[in-house]
Amino acid sequence: MPDWIIACVPALPLLAALMIAAGYVSGSNRDEAGERQTRRIALSAATLSFLILLYADLFALINGKLPGYIQVFTWFHSGDYHINISFLLDTPGLIMAHLVSLLSLITLHFSVNYLHREAGYPRFFMIMSLFTAAMLLIVMAGNTLLMFVGWELAGVCSYLLIAYSHERTTAADNATRAFVTNKIGDTGFLLAIILSFFWINSTEWPDIFIHTGVLDSLHSGLIASGLLLAAMAKSAQIPFSPWIARSLEGPTPSSAIFYGSLMVHAGVFLLIRMQPLLMHTPELMWMIAIIGAATALYGFIGSLVQTDVKSALMFSTTGQTGLMFLACGLGWFEFALWHLVAHAIWRAYHFLSAPAMMHLLNGHTRFVPAWIQKRRQLYTAALQRFWLEQITDWLFVKPTLALARDAQAFDQQVVNRLVGLPGSIGAVSSLAQWEKQKSTHSMQLDGDSGDIGRGRGLLGKLMEWIASLLHWFEEHLVLKGGDDGILHAVIRLGEVLTRVDEMLSRPRYLLLMLLLTFVVIL
Amino acid sequence: MIRKTHSPREEILQRLRGAIQHMEHVLPGQAAIKDFVHHNTLHGFEHLPFAEAVEKACEITGNFGYLPQTRFRALFKQGRITLDELRTTLDETANLKASDIIFKAADRDISQADIYLARLLHPIKPVTGCQINWQLGELNALHAFQPDIDSIARERLLKTADLNEHQAIFDLWSACLHILGLDHFIAHPEDMLDLTPEKAESMLSQTLANDDHPDDQPVIDFLIRKHARRDMDKLFSQIGEKLTLEGMLKKLTGEDLLEQMRPLLIRYMAAFLDQGFSAWPGPGREEGFYTFWRKSAVFDKTSVFDDFPDWADTLDALPEDAFDTVVIELRWLGIDEGKWESYLQRLALELPGWSGMFLWRHNRPGYDGLTNVNVNMMDYLAVRLVLERLFAQRLCRNLWQIEASIDVIRWYFKHHLAEFMVRQNFYNQHLPEYLSTLAQNHLNCSDICTPDEQQWWHLAHLIWTWQHSTSNGNPSSYNLFNSAWPLFRLSQHLGLSDAEIRKLDITQIDRIFNCLKAMDKHQASFIWLQAYERHYRDQLFNAVIQNHGRGLWKTRDKRPDAQIVFCMDDREEGMRRHLEEHNPDIETLGAGGFFGLPINWLGLDDEQITPLCPVVATPSYEIQEHPQPHQEALLQKRKQRLSTGQKLQNLVFQETRRNLLVTTCLVLINAPVTLAVLTSKTWVYSRFGRWLENKRKTLSVPVATEITINTEQPDKPATPETPRVGLTDIEQADHIERFLRTIGLQHTLAPFVVMMGHGSISENNPHLAAYDCGACSGRHGGPNARAFAAIANRPAIRRLLRERGIDIPDDTWVLGAEHNTCDENIIWYDRDQIPASLQENFTHLQKGLYIATLGSAHERSRRLASAPKGDSRTKALRHIYARSKDFSQARPELGHATNAAAIIGRRSISQSAFFDRRVFLISYDPAYDPDGSIVENILLTAGPVGAGINLEYYFSAVNNDQYGCGSKVTHNVTGLLGVMQGTSSDLRTGLPKQMIEIHEAMRLQVLVEATEETLTKIYMRQPPLQQLVGNGWLLLSAIHPETGKISVFKPGEGFIPWEHENTPLTRVSNSEDWYKGHTEPLPPALIDQQNSAVKHA
């Protein structure tokens, strides 16, 4: 079997996404009649891609061994650095590729009728195809870089589909929130890639696995931590969990596949993928187990108090991914893999049937025991999702926002003036000014600074300032000869300094200083 | 601030209770989703005439109640509304004085109607400075016709002007400016960035001339203060009527407090109202929402992280009683006592869906067996008020370091008028970019450089200057944007040349603008709607008139093969037509699908009763289903199986979201099965669905059943409060007699009389009940049909009936059945009891009905995008069936999406004509109703049901975002009580987009076969009808039983003969010939009867 055929598995849905996008740009699939074109492209790509995987199975069956590591071609190289388009179809890779391909195909099929006559029909199918490609890249990639490409694409798709009804503020806000949270994880991923380039000279999974034995535990631990951070964010482990419960604003099928069944498991898969790396860092394994257990508990208790179908399913899913993390932490990677597969299949079905969940409930849900029911404090905590989100907001979002405001103020007060942008110009722009000018004819005579000339921007102001300075010198020191002028100038300078001092004593600046100190030390 | 005088507690309590009751009029009254029943979305406004009600509702809730003008214009282009219909409607609208002539143009008179028509057909709207610059600069508007001007107007204008287009249009523009006394000077808003001394001087002198002002202080400052104070008074006076504190703060800060508190509030509210979805019911729900919230909120750390320092103190200080809290909070806010009711209403309306559900449950204590949940609207209002205060407090403190009471805020702005002016303009007006950027900088500034008073004033000056410049049209007099441009567009549409415009005097100009202003958005839309309805009405009446004398069964001279009584449902019109086309010897009738038997039904597997009758009635009788003798053992087995099945279902679907470790085990075991199910449901859903259906049937152990219709306690009175199991003979006979007389079936009963109830079953559909029988409170009507048949087959009852003059022949057998309107399947009840002699006839009847379902499925397919459009009827039926089994199908069926009219009368009026499944058909024979009491009763029962369905569809269709519940695609069922969009939206009421897409939004035309005198008498004595018909919620017409002449009821005037020239109608030999190849709504056609049937006419 030629290697390039394997590359077609993720490439076909990607191509479909591009074709649908092209169709949209050219206007050929925008109306109701265009739905046929859209769904044909998306479905045929997904089907073909699945068939290729079956073909690969057949091949593996005949040969009696898995395809394993396949290097299709070198994307680019520079000196010792090689970046390859390569795939790793070992047991987890191959199983996951099937899972992703089949579930995406089923969901696309589901969406054909479900999304009929939606204004965003082509958009939805385009993103879903893109997402399929992204997920396939994640599970099949032979190196961290290619996986990262999939990782990012999946994140973007998730953003776009949460904001499917972008006219609703809640949807748009939640999309941004999910996106930003994921970005934190992505920095970890990026760090791991850079470090492995640095220390191993390669990003290929097999190379990383070989070198883990050679690297000292700090180095391999750092690489693993970066990846772990990414996995935690993607699989919504504590403390990143809140984003996923907010992400259920999109159409039901996309919620099903993103947060119910596939993307939410990407983090777990990453852990399974980096198993050899983790085995060398037992401390990290402990951490994973603790995080997993905490997330499982968070998901479980959270799911008990949810009153809407989608949130309830989401918390439950979070609980299960927590268990998968726990399993990985305990070293039960194979179990985690089977758990992942089974759970992904079940949750896809569960989410797709969410609209009918009310008809599938006989009476009421089995209540928790009475002694738990009475625990009001725990109930409130669960209902408010253990305030995870508020805590992160309080710790990070609010200070950042305030810093941004300060930066904007700095921009207006200092930078804009310096470069001479309008906004602080002094020409007459309101009638009141005109009225004032008219009533005080003496104003022009009275002018004590800028009437020698006007300039904009740094150079302009500089010239203006020199002229004014000379004028002022003449006026105050030569003509008036008194101390008043200088005194005023000193007082004003003092005021400015006090303000700067005040500003620096605000907690966010202290924090910033602290951070800066750390950065410098590191 | 505490007011000095206030009424005693009890009096206030009564007042507030009254206010809560009144909220029923404005909040959505939709039931919990599984008990969905169609009702008029504006039920609380029914005491007002339709147009007034729509406008009033819009004023209160902000929801517009008509189709957008663009949709109407599109309908006009499609020919669904014609110019004549618009003109007639305009003429009939008295206050418009449409026929008054305004002036004489070169070759014709221009009447007010011409202006109205131009305004209806084209958007003649004021423009903004930027838009006009674009028009002139990019679209060459001063030298070419506007693109939407029709050719007649173009020709006329060019002919009168006798110039080329380039010059004629330019001259016209000059004429428009000239006649309004305006200059052609259009400044770009950004030009105001730097004022030239000349410009500033001229503007200043103009201002000085226009306004009164004292001489001793700066004029501009004085004027800004004056106007800002006026605006401020206006804004604050709206609090309590149009605004809440939240609303006012949003207008001044852009902060949406509701948006911020919504997740917090909704979590508690959903937890409180939940009907059993969550595994952990909120602790202490029995104490009421207020206490539930208060006790939980104490532990809520949101206060810490979200910066609410007074959270704990506020909660501590709250009184025990919700009512006291409401009063204290209102006083604290500083709301005038006279405005308390309206303030609370406004507050409730900010979250209409949830508030409506709260009120609905408030009015139904113990609903759904939830006796331990004490739902009181006062609790809800108290929590809303407290939260509003907490959030407002935080905002006001952060921004202005003041308390969040109205008086304090007013005091603050009194001293900061410039800031008020900037805020007011930035958040509520459209400012040009140079101003909005500046304002934004001031408003979102960092706390290290808050703008000082001088900076606010500077910005206020800039805004004021811009507002008084020519780049922002001065609204008080004629100006470029609001007057010249509309006049210019209007002249082009009317084909008026510059010379004709120049001849106008000032009063004529005024009249033109008055016409443009007189017809606001509401009135214009109402005129469109009436014209739209008129178009359909005329088509319908035209068909009915031409069908006069053609339809069968005016009198029953021959005994039909069978009589089938369907539900009056519009969906059954197609089925009935196809059945009659197949076998004209079958007579079909229509009635409310509960067949005059309001019952509480306890089915074999049910644990609680279900009322099956229109929602306005409450049954006095209970009918139970029991196993037949010797089936008890089977029943035990069935119960066991069923219970196991339910446990399994709960385990698989509910425990997997509830239980942590069990889920892991379950998914691991289940995965292969799930994968198989998922793939089957995706690729072979139809076959899989059928297999599952059969499996379920056999696994659940079928038990032969019978129903209890006779009571064992004949002496116990049966009342709605204390319903009794079974009916006495007399009661049974009464019900059967009344029903048969109502539908005019008191003689010549066929060998088979079938009561055909209906329901709808589909997959993955939270709105399931919305597709079911409206006459059975959104349930299936089968049990009523079955009970009716069982009663009517009893010899004792037949004897009683014979004594009363209704002879059910001995060889007549009454059968109950249920039609599934989704997959077209028919279930027959008690078939085993059909006499052997009739078995063969029954097989024949079944076959006929199967053929009718084929036809119905085929006809339905024409309007379903993914259905096959070929000739094959079996293929169509296969598709229809498959659709019902497809869990990805958001449109399992289209429901009542085509309803438009109701005909109350003999089938002969409508039989042998094609009405496109758009008509409710209600059987009634005027020949047996001399005093009109029967039709009176029909109008009183069927009227509200029909209006409920029609008006819910109407409002959900015209404004799906606000009156409907939006697209199903993002719906999320919450608490088993309704759907949200996403996870923290308001509860969405009304119908989803998928149900109304093809609906033609118009009011129901009700055509009654009765004399005008009879109907007028009924109208005079029935206030409910005066409300429904007199206020135009239903459009009533009468067709004379003998002459077939139609007259239309006009409120205030009475019946007016419908005079219309007969428009030729297409005649076809069967329905298919007419609908084949069409996917759009079709006008009526006449169907030629088969020859064999003509002799029965």
Side-chain angles (χ1 to χ4, degrees), chain B residues 13 71 105 143 155 168 183 494 506 622 956 961 1024 1041 1090:
Chain B
L13 183 63
R71 263 297 289 286
H143 297 290
E155 268 170 39
D183 296 330
L494 294 176
I506 194 70
E622 183 176 326
S956 288
D961 281 339
Q1090 285 177 24

Side-chain angles (χ1 to χ4, degrees), chain A residues 199-201 206-221 223 276-277 279-281:
Chain A
W199 289 326
I200 305 175
N201 249 347
D207 293 340
I208 296 176
F209 296 155
I210 293 166
H211 281 81
T212 41
V214 188
L215 282 178
D216 64 39
S217 62
L218 177 70
H219 288 169
S220 54
I223 295 178
L277 194 61
M279 294 305 245
H280 282 274
T281 49

Side-chain angles (χ1 to χ4, degrees), chain A residues 426-471:
Chain A
V428 169
S429 48
S430 75
L431 282 187
Q433 279 172 317
W434 182 252
E435 192 190 5
K436 203 168 157 197
Q437 266 189 27
K438 267 186 57 177
S439 64
T440 52
H441 282 293
S442 57
M443 188 176 158
Q444 289 187 357
L445 306 171
D446 201 35
D448 62 349
S449 63
D451 282 2
I452 305 294
R454 280 190 182 279
R456 280 187 187 183
L458 190 60
L459 268 180
K461 283 288 173 197
L462 198 68
M463 296 304 288
E464 188 188 322
W465 180 70
I466 292 170
S468 307
L469 191 72
L470 290 175
H471 177 74

